[in-house]
Structures are given as structure tokens and as C-alpha cells.
Amino acid sequence: MAAAARPGEEAAGPEPEPGGSIRRYLARLGALLPLPGPDREGESGRRTELHLLFDQLISENCGPGAPGPTGAPSPQDVCALLVQACQLVHLNQEHLVNKVCQLIHHLLNRFQVVVDEQNLDFLLSYSISALKQCSSWTHTEILQALAALVYNNGPNCQKYLPDLLGKSGLLVQFSDPAQTDVELRRAAVHSMANLCLSVPGQPYLDESYRSLCFQTFLNVLQSSKTSDVDDITFCMLLQNALKGIQSLLNGGKMKLMQTDQLGSLLAVLKTRRKKSKGKQKRGQLGEELESDVGDGSIHGMDIFQLRSGDAQNNPSLNPWNRSVDAAYMPAGKDHLSCHPSWKRISSSESEYSDAEGGIQSKMRSYQAKVRQGALACFLSTIKSIEKKVLYGYWSAFVPDTPGIGSPQSVSLMTIALKDPSPKTRACALQVLSATLEGSKQFLSVAEDAHDHKRAFTPFSVTIASSIRELHRCLLLALVAESSSQTLTQIIKCLANLVSNAPYSRLKPGLLTRVWNQIKPYIRHKDVNVRVSSLTLLGAVVSAQAPSPEVQLLLQQPSSSGLSNSGTATPHRLSSSEWWRRAPPSQGEPTDNWESPSSEPCWLIRLCISTVVLPREDSYSDSDTSFPAGTVYEPSPVRLESLQVLALLVKGYFSVAQSYLLELGEVACKCMEETDPSIQLHGAKLLEELGTGIVQQHKLDSTIAVNQKVPVNLVVTFWTMMLNGPLPGALQNAQHPTLQTSACDALSSILPEAFSSLRDDRQILCITLLLGLNHSENPLVKAAAARALGVYVLFSCLRQDVMFVADTANAILNSLQDKSPNVRAKAAWSLGNLTDTLIVNMEMMGQSFQEEFSDLLLLKMLRSATEASKDKDKVKSNAVRALGNLLHFLQPYHIVNPRFSETIKESIQALISTVQSEATMKVRWNACYALGNVFKNPALPLGEAPWTAQAYNALTSVVKSCKNFKVRIKSAMALSIPTQRERYGTTEQFSQIWSALVIALQKSEDTEDFLEFKYSASLRTQICQALIHLLSLANSTDLPFIRKTIAENGAVIRSYVLQYMKSGVEEDEAGIHTNSQERDSMLKRAIEHICGIEELSEGKAKVVVTAYLEDILTNHVNSTEVTEA
């Protein structure tokens, strides 16, 4: 028998090839295959040789001298060796079975091997047979081997599940609470947990197995540690159970739908901190859980009491005294994962020795892992249940009072403040952050702006108190924390809180405290802390902006709160370093422009400096992950600074406008860089600047003229952009996302500024957009189509027939694109283009209509008709365009045979859309479009066959549509025709009148409370339509009107009087009507009816006139009484 080579001898030779050692042992095992015939002496020798080989294998490959990753064997070699070893060991050789199982789990864990399906079948079958046949003393090692085999292999174990997880399955038996051998129970739970790991794209465990495993894990977590159980073993048992539950939840299959199931899990996660200490009385847990499961609630119980007591009892562990913990994690990772590294631990493995830290240090480590596992499990639970269910348990996890003078109940915040392990604190913060994410609707009920004096505390005040306590605790944690990674999590958690809290309903001051305390961390040595600090500042400036509190904070002196400390970088905002040219007021005429902000904004200066100034030193070890030799801050810091600038410009443009040209230069500099992310954020900043200027110059803007950015300064700004990198960004086909953002930025130019640009710059913009409309990238094409839709509304361009025609052709091309997003943007632009046609028709008259190509007009009609059958996002603007186009048509178009069929199809498309079950916006636009059709006197409304269909569609909607805004728009459309003939026959007129009366009666009937606020506007529009019909009615219409008055006169009178008395209102068309105008409308209707010639025996005229005069008299009398 060849002797094993000594490690020292191998080291002296050439470097071994990867996996060479395993192959040598594989060859030696092959030489030990039994020979035919009985050979007891040979069998005994073979057994001895196997013992030696297995010992050497374990020693060489799993000990201190084991090969590193580069020398690791291939998975195939490892699997082949294990199969060969099992083939050599009979199940009656229990000592060898024990040793081969040690080899299996050591090698698979050491080299992270997932066994292939073919070898898995043999090895699993061997392990299961060994569990059934071998003595109980071998079972622990066999189960550890089983755990390693099934790891990430669950889908391939389906045929063995009955043996393992069936009613009398091996793992079920060994994991039973009655199992006295805790190490054996731990190994069984470990195997069960590994079976529960999901593999992407592979089938998961059946429901019955999932439920059985969940209950097993829950039983483990609910169990108490007996005095004869080793503390570390019990911690490892808990770890494996937590791992199993987390795997079930992360697999996406396990949904905690039952209240008792969720309550039990949350309860045991909370109490597990107590249990890990091993000092809780045994009977307490069962009683707590029974009371919890009984009412499906977990309120009133201690939260996560796993080890928090240690921090309170041991001064050395208190966060206020602690230095960086021994468990401090390596720097350079931006995202600190809460998920523990679930190691496949065996009883023989240990990361510690008594010499290294003693038993207490080892114990604290295992307890910390249990706490981290419980928090990771909690995080998975949060992700697997609906937020509305989670918020039912809000008060159990989130504090609402400081707890001064009494023992503080343990919550996620007490863990974040007092746990001795930085990783555990970070896990608690990550759970809290996940709880806060998306909580805006839940937190919106909070309100404490006014002191309440009631016998009870309203829920709104309780939530407000909870929000305040979260601010207090997180800011305490911020000051106390020494670990950079945990500090990052605190700041991220604060950002989530700020993004979701309703500050307008709370007493001011919360944001000020956050603002002032985060300032020093902007220059923290750790890059991730700097990034998260900027993220938090971004959340503050976007929290319900514009906020008066934040407005004041932005105008604070730049030195306020920006103190340096041992953890901060040198101050970079001194005047000699400030990257800023002459302010806009110097060298540029500004028409007496007054900057709204007299104080320089320190945050803008900080962000600009961060983006454009070279950094002064290497801030921390965590920066080593970024390219060496870079002169600027790391890319994540610069990107976050640009995002803060964009948010600040969006929410507080009045503050940012003082820096317009400087911010423009920042955008230019960013777009000139090679980093695509920096370029993209530069383009987005430019878009926000442009949008801010446009919003400021809108007609309905309340900003004083001398507070607005002067147009000539805007021209200077855009000239700088167009002479800079913007055209290059628009033509950068290698970076379509940048092209898209650049298109959006170019569409945000102020129309008044565009008209003042040089002609060549205007032509450049138009040429670029028309060219990009033919891009093969759908994002770019959609952005270009939208930008053209903005430009076509510019007053300096809309009267240019050639530009309008070129834009129309480009938009029609995009309307045929296969991308729904491109078609939706093109339809919106087509709607804008047809709005321009109507404006030109009204301003320029027939000259523009005659100049515009008939062929292009017909093409637009056909394309819009086809688009009206598309998806709702396309359809809503397609019908808007159809209404405008049909309104634009001239008599010669309508009699043209080429147009006649298309016109009918277009009107039918509108009617079908009104009657369809499309979204509210689509039907609203369709009703609006039909109203536009009725405005065209050249169309044969009243005579054409489609007249009755159009009116029937509108009357059906006004009576029964669930959405009141659509009803309002249909009533408005019914009041548009200005001649009686256009309402068609007497029967048609009567149907319209009757429908409006029914709609008036049903104007308060709605199942949706949100619609009720539109009922007054609906009645106003219906009353206007009824009075309008009265002012056009003829003698044949009066009998039906009289009949309606006789049946519903009282109801109609009350609503019309209410309409007459109401104050100044704006209808859906944007037309203001006051009381005098309404009086005039009613008087005109009375005069018109009085002038109708009626048959001698008819009395309808007299009845209707008297009825209307009575309404008018009532209104006049009540007005006089009110004025008196």
C-alpha cells in the first residue's frame, strides 16, 4: 500500500494542479475496490486503509492547509470521489459510514459543491438507507451529510420527499419536539431547512410539505431550552429553524394568509431574543403564544427580546460607550444585507476557540446570529404580506412614546439603539426601513398640528406621536453609531421616514432637526455615508415641496451646522474655493429682475462643488473600490448630488433660479463627461431647470413679474446649452437613454425664449427632433415624438405651414410604430397638432386652411380613426385629435368624395368610443371630441344618419355613466349646437330634453363617494343645457316640455333656482358664468318661447312661459332679500 505523501514534501515540488490531490485520492480509492471471492484478511486491510484515507482527505482538504479557491477541485471530481467512497463502505461498517458522512458534508461545504442529479440519486439513496439501518449514534453525521447533499437541490429530491417529509418521514421523526437528542434534532431541522431553499426556474415544494416544514420550524422557535442542552447547540437549532422559515417565505410560495399563522410567527420572532439568552422561565413562551394566537394580535408583548437586556446590563456594550465593535464589517459595500450568511454548520465546526475569545465571546456571537436570523426572517415576512396587514401590527414594532420613567418596551428602535452587534443593529434598521417603505397612505392620517383636548387619544395623534418618536430615536442612533455600515442604514431609514411622513399635518421642527444633524455626515470619511446623507437631503427637499420649513432651511447661512469633526473631510465651501462665475445680474440685462433668495443656498453650493470640484484627499478606505487616480468625488456621491440638485430645482425653483447659469454649466460639464450615468443626470438636471422656467412663466402663474427669470436670461441659458454638449448628447446613438433625456430637456425650452434664439439654433432644434423621430430605439422615438408635440404649440412655429406639415408627417410615422409607448406619445402630439390647427383656423381664417395640404389632412383623419381602436393610452388622444380634425374641415372637404367615407368612419369611431367601456379619460375625451364635431357648421348635423347615433350615445352617458366628469362633458356637448335644426327631429329633441331631466334628477345618485364632489358641477352643466334647449325650442317641442314640467316641475325648479343662485363658476370648457349672465340666459329663453307662434288651441307656450317666469321671479325676490 502506497504511503500518503506528506504535505511538506509536496510543498517542495512544483505547484500542484487544481484538484490534483482529489484525483490522487480518487485513484487510490479505485485501487481498493473489492476483488471477487472471499478475502476476510483483505477486507480488514481495506477497512484500515479506508479509515486512513478518509482521515487524510478530511485533514488535507478541510484543515488549515486546505487548498484555496484557485486550487479547488472540480465539482465532478468531488462527486466522483464521494460516490466511490460510498461504494466502498457497506452500511454494516458503521464507523466508516460515520466517517464517509463526515467526508461528504466537509467536502461539499468546503468547496461549495452542488451535487449533480445523477450522483445525487445515489448519495441520497445511500444516506436514507444509512439512516434506516445504522445505529442512532451515527444519525447526526448522516443528517449533516444529507443537509449538504440537498442544499440548493430541493427540486431534484422530489422522489425522496415521502421518505424524508412524509407522515412518518425520517426528518419529521428526528425533528419532533419529543426528540431528546438536541444535536440530532438540530441536524434534522438543518436538512429540512436546506430542502426548503428555492431554486429559480425549478418547481417548489408541494403545499402539504411546505405547511409541515413551517409548523416544524415554528415548533422549534416556540420550544424552551432545557438545562441539559448546550447553549450553542440550542442557538444553532434556532438559526436553522429561522433559516427554514425565511427560505419558505423567500420562495414566493408561502403566503401567511391566516391570522393565527402570522400572529404566531410574529410573536415568536419577538420573543426569540429572550429565548436565546436561555434565562426565560420555560412556561412563559407558551402562555404568550396562546394569548396571541387566540385573538390574532400581538399587541402588548415585548418585541424582539433576544439580547437587548445585555446591552442595558453591561456598560461596555452600551452604544453610548462603545467603540467600533469587533464584528465591524469590511468597508466598501454600499448595501448592507440583513440576510445572515446561513452556513451549513456542523457540531464540530467553530469559528472561535477559548483562547481567542473565551466561551462568553463565542456565546455572544451565536446569540447575535440568532437575533440577525430573526430580523432577516421578519424582513422576509414583511415582504410576503400585504402592507395593510402589516400596519395592523404597527404599534407592536414601532414606539410611540419615549417611555421615560418606566421600563421601555423593546421595539425595532431599541434594538437599533442598544444591541451590541453593529450587524444586528443594521438588520433592525433594514426591517424598519422596509416597514416604512410605501407607508405614505397609512401615515397620512397622522395629525398633531393642533393640540387635542379630548378624553381619549385619537388614532391620528397616536400615529403622529409614533412618527415623532421615530425621528427622535433615529437621530439618537445617528449620534451614537460608530459603525459606518450601520450609520448608512440609519440614514437610509431616516430618508424612508422623511419620504412618507405627512409633515404638513405635523407641528413644524421635525425636518429642521433632521436637516441640522445630517449636515456633518455629508463629509463623513465613508463614501456610503456621504451618499446616503445626500439621499436624505434629497428626501427632505422633495417632502411635500414646497414646504415653508424647508424654504427657510435652504436660506440658512452656509456655515450653519457644517462643523468639521474627526469623521469629516476638510471644509470645501470657503469663498476662495467656490466654483461660481459672476452672478446673473452682472453683465446681463435682467429687466429689474430681483432674485427671490438673497441668502446664498448652501445646499446648492455644496452639490455643485461636489460635482465639479476636484476632491482634496482620499476620504476613507471605502473609496478604494473606485478607480484610482480620479480627481473627483466617487461617482455615487456625484450622482446623488446631481439628484439633490434636480429635486431642489423641481421643488424650490425660486431658490435655485439665482444659480441658473451656474447650474446650466454644471449640466453642460456633466454631459461632456464620459461616464454615461453622469451624462444622464446632467440632462435630467437641465430638464428640471427648463421645466421650472416654463412653470414660472405660465399665464396662470401667481409669481410677480420681477420675481420671474427674465426671458433674455433664459435665451442666454439655452444658447449656452445649444452651443455646448446638448446637440452631441442628442446625436449619441450609443447611449439611447441619454438621447431620451436630452429630448425631454430640449422640449422644456420656454416658448418665448425659443422665438428669441438665433435662426440657426431654432433650425438645429427642429432638425434634431425630426431626425430622432426616425430612431430605431423606441424610447428615443417616443421622446422625440413628444417633443415635437410641444414645439407645435409654440406661437412662433404653429403658423409655419411647412413646419406643421413636417411635424404631422413625423407624428403619423410614429403613430404606426410597433411600440405602444411610441404610439401613445405620438397620439398625444397629434392631439396637440390638431389643437394648433384649430387655433390657426380661428386666428388666420381660411388662408391657413387653404394652404394646408388636403392629402395630409385626409391622411391624419384616417390615422386618427385607426388609432382610436388602439389601446386606451393611444385612444384617449386619438379621439381628441379626431374631434379637432372634424371641426377643422371646410365645406369643400365635406363634399369631396375622397373625404366623405373617412368622415363617416371617424364620426362612427367617436360614437363607438363614447358608448364603450373604456377608461374615464378615453370616454371624457370622446365626449369632448363630439362637442368639437358639433361646432363645425359645415357638417350636416341634424340631417345626417349619424345624428341620432351621436345624440343617443351622449344621452345614454349623461344619464347612466358612473363617472360624473364624463357626464359633465356629455352634457356640455349636448348644449353646443346653436340652431334648432341641428338637434334633428322633434322626437330627437324630446329624447335629449328627457335625458337631461333624468340626469338632473339622478345627479346625486352615486355609489362612489369620490364622485359626489362633482355633482354640483354636473347640475350646473345640465341646467345650462336645459336653458340652452329652451332658447332654441320650436312650437312642436313645447308640448313635450310642458308634459315634463307637469311631471317633474318641482324638482327642475329647485335645481334651476339653485343654479341661478350659485356664485361665479367655471364650467368644463373653462368659461366663467356669473349670476347676471345666468339671469340673461333665462330671460332670453323666456323671450324666445314668448315669440314662438303656436297653434290656436295649444296651451304649452303659456304654461312653459309661466313656469320659467315664476322661476325668474323667485330668484329675483330671493336675491333682493339677501342683498337687503
Side-chain angles (χ1 to χ4, degrees):
M1 183 179 69
R6 296 176 55 153
E9 292 171 348
E10 285 195 354
E15 188 174 333
E17 60 173 316
S21 172
I22 290 289
R23 291 200 194 99
R24 286 197 303 277
Y25 281 108
L26 186 59
R28 291 174 66 184
L29 284 172
L32 291 174
L33 285 174
L35 297 172
D39 182 8
R40 292 191 178 183
E41 189 176 329
E43 182 68 27
S44 174
R46 207 166 25 253
R47 189 177 302 176
T48 305
E49 180 72 8
L50 283 172
H51 274 292
L52 287 171
L53 276 175
F54 290 163
D55 288 340
Q56 289 170 0
L57 266 169
I58 293 171
S59 170
E60 285 187 26
N61 291 283
C62 304
T70 54
S74 69
Q76 293 84 354
D77 287 346
V78 173
C79 292
L81 183 139
L82 294 177
V83 169
Q84 187 93 312
C86 289
Q87 287 172 340
L88 287 167
V89 176
H90 300 298
L91 295 179
N92 59 355
Q93 300 171 331
E94 293 189 346
H95 284 88
L96 278 176
V97 169
N98 195 58
K99 197 161 286 186
V100 82
C101 286
Q102 284 185 34
L103 185 65
I104 289 173
H105 85 257
H106 276 307
L107 287 183
L108 294 183
N109 287 338
R110 173 67 185 84
F111 299 118
Q112 298 295 298
V113 172
V114 176
V115 182
D116 62 276
E117 191 171 353
Q118 183 178 353
N119 288 318
L120 179 69
D121 277 345
F122 175 81
L123 293 171
L124 263 185
S125 179
Y126 182 88
S127 301
I128 291 170
S129 299
L131 281 172
K132 292 177 179 178
Q133 296 180 36
C134 295
S135 303
S136 58
W137 70 270
T138 64
H139 288 173
T140 300
E141 287 294 348
I142 298 170
L143 284 171
Q144 288 184 18
L146 185 70
L149 289 168
V150 300
Y151 183 80
N152 265 344
N153 243 328
N156 296 326
C157 301
Q158 294 295 324
K159 68 180 181 181
Y160 297 102
L161 291 180
D163 284 332
L164 297 171
L165 299 178
K167 285 187 178 180
S168 57
L170 294 166
L171 296 183
V172 177
Q173 292 176 33
F174 294 136
S175 61
D176 190 270
Q179 175 60 248
T180 55
D181 186 343
V182 177
E183 182 61 41
L184 184 61
R185 188 181 179 197
R186 185 202 69 78
V189 171
H190 188 195
S191 297
M192 193 179 287
N194 281 0
L195 268 175
C196 292
L197 279 170
S198 64
V199 179
Q202 296 292 319
Y204 199 54
L205 289 174
D206 291 340
E207 173 62 31
S208 59
Y209 293 135
R210 292 201 300 271
S211 298
L212 183 146
C213 291
F214 179 83
Q215 194 56 52
T216 300
F217 300 141
L218 201 58
N219 289 340
V220 169
L221 296 174
Q222 290 172 343
S223 62
S224 299
K225 188 183 87 67
T226 56
S227 57
D228 59 333
V229 176
D230 175 57
D231 284 344
I232 291 177
T233 302
F234 191 67
C235 281
M236 292 164 70
L237 172 64
L238 297 178
Q239 274 184 268
N240 287 320
L242 289 165
K243 166 195 171 182
I245 289 181
Q246 191 183 0
S247 296
L248 286 170
L249 295 172
N250 289 349
K253 301 289 184 181
M254 189 78 187
K255 295 297 179 185
L256 298 170
M257 303 303 292
Q258 299 174 8
T259 306
D260 61 338
Q261 206 176 43
L262 176 60
S264 298
L265 177 59
L266 292 176
V268 80
L269 289 177
K270 288 166 53 180
T271 56
R272 190 32 57 198
R273 287 200 166 210
K274 276 184 182 176
K275 303 304 289 183
S276 71
K277 291 194 290 183
K279 296 178 184 178
Q280 187 181 3
K281 293 180 182 178
R282 296 180 188 176
Q284 288 181 349
L285 181 66
E287 291 165 10
E288 288 178 351
L289 285 171
E290 284 174 17
S291 64
D292 173 71
V293 173
D295 62 2
S297 167
I298 57 172
H299 300 285
M301 294 174 58
D302 291 335
I303 302 173
F304 280 113
Q305 294 200 11
L306 286 158
R307 276 268 310 163
S308 56
D310 287 357
Q312 299 174 42
N313 300 331
N314 187 348
S316 67
L317 299 178
N318 192 296
W320 306 101
N321 304 323
R322 66 174 177 256
S323 59
V324 178
D325 196 278
Y328 184 90
M329 288 168 295
K333 294 182 181 177
D334 181 44
H335 180 72
L336 177 64
S337 173
C338 174
H339 299 285
S341 54
W342 297 114
K343 293 187 66 178
R344 290 168 285 194
I345 306 165
S346 72
S347 57
S348 61
E349 288 177 317
S350 172
E351 298 175 7
Y352 298 85
S353 68
D354 292 345
E356 289 174 323
I359 192 68
Q360 288 301 317
S361 173
K362 186 176 180 181
M363 188 63 217
R364 281 197 296 270
S365 170
Y366 276 97
Q367 287 177 335
K369 286 179 180 179
V370 173
R371 300 197 300 277
Q372 291 156 22
L375 288 164
C377 204
F378 189 6
L379 185 61
S380 296
T381 305
I382 289 173
K383 292 177 179 178
S384 67
I385 60 175
E386 293 182 29
K387 281 294 173 78
K388 64 181 181 183
V389 175
L390 172 68
Y391 295 140
Y393 298 93
W394 174 271
S395 61
F397 300 109
V398 181
D400 59 2
T401 55
I404 298 170
S406 61
Q408 188 174 12
S409 62
V410 183
S411 69
L412 287 170
M413 274 319 313
T414 53
I415 301 168
L417 281 167
K418 297 182 178 181
D419 196 283
S421 162
K423 188 170 183 180
T424 307
R425 297 195 297 273
C427 286
L429 289 159
Q430 197 169 355
V431 172
L432 180 58
S433 196
T435 305
L436 288 168
E437 192 172 343
S439 63
K440 184 172 286 187
Q441 185 175 0
F442 172 69
L443 297 181
S444 66
V445 302
E447 203 274 325
D448 74 346
H450 309 289
D451 292 328
H452 76 285
K453 296 178 181 178
R454 302 177 192 174
F456 64 94
T457 303
F459 181 65
S460 59
V461 175
T462 302
I463 296 299
S465 175
S466 184
I467 292 172
R468 289 191 169 280
E469 183 63 7
L470 278 174
H471 279 80
R472 187 186 75 84
C473 292
L474 285 169
L475 291 177
L476 276 176
L478 188 69
V479 174
E481 189 53 64
S482 55
S483 161
S484 295
Q485 283 68 36
T486 310
L487 195 59
T488 302
Q489 285 300 322
I490 293 170
I491 300 171
K492 285 181 178 179
C493 201
L494 266 171
N496 248 337
L497 176 60
V498 169
S499 298
N500 290 284
Y503 293 100
S504 60
R505 295 168 59 89
L506 303 174
K507 290 176 184 175
L510 289 176
L511 287 174
T512 301
R513 287 193 281 277
V514 172
W515 187 270
N516 290 333
Q517 279 197 232
I518 199 61
K519 280 184 178 180
Y521 296 93
I522 297 167
R523 293 184 197 83
H524 194 277
K525 288 185 177 182
D526 187 274
V527 65
N528 298 320
V529 175
R530 298 205 296 279
V531 171
S532 56
S533 300
L534 288 166
T535 303
L536 175 55
L537 286 172
V540 171
V541 297
S542 59
Q544 299 175 331
S547 157
E549 184 179 356
V550 177
Q551 185 95 21
L552 289 173
L553 292 171
L554 288 169
Q555 294 169 356
Q556 282 181 349
S558 60
S559 59
S560 176
L562 287 170
S563 59
N564 285 316
S565 67
T567 59
T569 63
H571 203 292
R572 302 181 65 211
L573 295 183
S574 63
S575 58
S576 63
E577 296 169 328
W578 173 232
W579 181 83
R580 188 179 180 199
R581 300 189 312 173
S585 56
Q586 298 179 14
E588 293 290 345
T590 58
D591 302 327
N592 299 319
W593 177 46
E594 297 177 11
S595 170
S597 173
S598 56
E599 280 286 338
C601 178
W602 71 268
L603 182 56
I604 292 179
R605 295 180 66 182
L606 168 79
C607 291
I608 292 178
S609 299
T610 302
V611 174
V612 303
L613 285 181
R615 64 178 184 169
E616 297 175 1
D617 59 2
S618 179
Y619 299 122
S620 77
D621 293 337
S622 68
D623 287 359
T624 56
S625 59
F626 300 100
T630 177
V631 295
Y632 297 112
E633 280 273 13
S635 182
V637 181
R638 299 179 72 206
L639 290 173
E640 205 62 45
S641 296
L642 286 168
Q643 286 192 9
V644 172
L645 283 175
L647 290 169
L648 200 151
V649 169
K650 184 177 183 178
Y652 300 89
F653 186 75
S654 60
V655 175
Q657 68 185 67
S658 306
Y659 299 85
L660 181 64
L661 293 182
E662 285 77 10
L663 290 170
E665 287 191 48
V666 171
C668 281
K669 178 172 176 54
C670 290
M671 287 189 285
E672 286 170 346
E673 293 197 21
T674 55
D675 184 341
S677 297
I678 298 288
Q679 291 177 315
L680 184 61
H681 281 73
K684 288 188 180 296
L685 175 60
L686 175 57
E687 181 189 356
E688 292 296 349
L689 288 166
T691 303
I693 295 169
V694 170
Q695 293 291 332
Q696 202 179 60
H697 282 264
K698 278 189 171 180
L699 293 176
D700 58 356
S701 173
T702 57
I703 301 171
V705 175
N706 63 347
Q707 297 287 312
K708 296 179 180 179
V709 180
V711 173
N712 54 1
L713 185 62
V714 181
V715 173
T716 303
F717 173 82
W718 279 107
T719 300
M720 177 172 69
M721 295 299 110
L722 293 168
N723 290 337
L726 183 57
L730 285 161
Q731 296 174 80
N732 186 351
Q734 303 303 314
H735 191 0
T737 313
L738 176 62
Q739 284 183 295
T740 302
S741 287
C743 274
D744 292 337
L746 197 59
S747 69
S748 68
I749 189 168
L750 184 70
E752 294 89 333
F754 184 87
S755 61
S756 300
L757 289 173
R758 294 202 328 250
D759 288 349
D760 64 328
R761 299 296 90 184
Q762 292 186 22
I763 292 168
L764 174 66
C765 293
I766 295 167
T767 305
L768 285 170
L769 290 178
L770 287 171
L772 289 173
N773 195 73
H774 296 283
S775 170
E776 293 182 2
N777 186 286
L779 290 174
V780 178
K781 193 169 185 177
R786 180 191 168 277
L788 286 172
V790 173
Y791 275 43
V792 81
L793 297 175
F794 288 2
S795 55
C796 62
L797 292 177
R798 69 181 176 215
Q799 295 179 4
D800 183 341
V801 177
M802 291 304 296
F803 169 74
V804 174
D806 287 344
T807 302
N809 280 311
I811 290 170
L812 292 180
N813 169 268
S814 294
L815 205 55
Q816 307 299 319
D817 197 87
K818 62 183 180 181
S819 165
N821 186 43
V822 173
R823 296 200 302 275
K825 300 292 185 188
W828 179 82
S829 295
L830 183 62
N832 284 5
L833 189 145
T834 56
D835 286 343
T836 288
L837 295 184
I838 300 300
V839 171
N840 287 343
M841 179 181 73
E842 293 169 352
M843 292 181 63
M844 300 170 64
Q846 203 169 345
S847 61
F848 182 86
Q849 289 169 299
E850 291 175 350
E851 248 186 290
F852 198 78
S853 165
D854 290 352
L855 191 61
L856 181 56
L857 185 61
L858 182 62
K859 190 177 176 184
M860 290 168 70
L861 258 177
R862 287 172 176 165
S863 293
T865 304
E866 194 62 33
S868 70
K869 301 167 189 173
D870 206 329
K871 296 182 178 181
D872 282 357
K873 284 188 177 181
V874 180
K875 189 184 295 186
S876 61
N877 284 297
V879 293
R880 175 166 72 102
L882 274 180
N884 284 332
L885 290 169
L886 291 166
H887 182 192
F888 183 78
L889 292 174
Q890 294 305 294
Y892 66 87
H893 292 132
I894 293 165
V895 297
N896 187 331
R898 287 196 303 174
F899 275 82
S900 57
E901 192 61 35
T902 303
I903 290 171
K904 289 178 187 175
E905 290 175 4
S906 301
I907 294 172
Q908 284 298 332
L910 288 179
I911 293 168
S912 299
T913 307
V914 170
Q915 294 173 323
S916 71
E917 293 298 321
T919 58
M920 179 276 291
K921 185 178 180 181
V922 173
R923 298 183 76 186
W924 188 94
N925 274 346
C927 291
Y928 175 81
L930 272 182
N932 270 340
V933 173
F934 293 170
K935 290 177 183 178
N936 190 340
L939 288 169
L941 180 64
E943 301 170 4
W946 49 261
T947 301
Q949 294 173 284
Y951 284 130
N952 289 343
L954 291 170
T955 53
S956 173
V957 166
V958 82
K959 287 188 293 184
S960 61
C961 183
K962 291 180 180 179
N963 188 281
F964 275 24
K965 292 183 81 172
V966 177
R967 286 200 209 183
I968 292 167
K969 190 55 68 177
S970 62
M972 190 201 78
L974 289 169
S975 65
I976 284 176
T978 55
Q979 296 172 349
R980 170 61 189 83
E981 295 77 20
R982 295 177 68 77
Y983 281 102
T985 63
T986 301
E987 183 184 359
Q988 185 71 62
F989 186 92
S990 301
Q991 286 177 0
I992 296 169
W993 173 270
S994 176
L996 288 168
V997 170
I998 293 170
L1000 190 62
Q1001 292 172 310
K1002 296 169 65 177
S1003 60
E1004 294 183 4
D1005 298 345
T1006 177
E1007 296 176 2
D1008 187 351
F1009 180 76
L1010 295 175
E1011 294 297 322
F1012 194 75
K1013 61 184 176 181
Y1014 301 112
S1015 60
S1017 298
L1018 174 60
R1019 286 192 293 275
T1020 296
Q1021 197 67 57
I1022 293 173
C1023 288
Q1024 284 184 11
L1026 287 171
I1027 294 172
H1028 176 72
L1029 288 175
L1030 286 169
S1031 67
L1032 297 178
N1034 59 30
S1035 57
T1036 58
D1037 302 325
L1038 291 179
F1040 185 81
I1041 295 172
R1042 175 192 174 185
K1043 180 185 175 185
T1044 310
I1045 289 172
E1047 294 172 354
N1048 305 293
V1051 176
I1052 297 172
R1053 180 188 287 108
S1054 66
Y1055 283 131
V1056 173
L1057 278 171
Q1058 188 180 343
Y1059 159 71
M1060 299 293 287
K1061 291 174 186 174
S1062 55
V1064 177
E1065 288 190 11
E1066 182 179 316
D1067 65 16
E1068 284 285 307
I1071 300 169
H1072 291 276
T1073 55
N1074 56 33
S1075 184
Q1076 291 180 342
E1077 290 171 347
R1078 295 174 186 186
D1079 289 355
S1080 300
M1081 287 171 61
L1082 186 56
K1083 287 174 183 176
R1084 284 197 300 271
I1086 294 171
E1087 288 171 6
H1088 170 75
I1089 291 173
C1090 288
I1092 294 174
E1093 292 185 8
E1094 194 175 22
L1095 298 173
S1096 56
E1097 68 275 10
K1099 296 181 181 179
K1101 171 181 171 180
V1102 176
V1103 172
V1104 174
T1105 304
Y1107 178 79
L1108 294 176
E1109 286 176 342
D1110 178 57
I1111 291 174
L1112 185 60
T1113 304
N1114 258 337
H1115 170 61
V1116 171
N1117 291 340
S1118 64
T1119 305
E1120 289 174 354
V1121 170
T1122 304
E1123 290 175 353

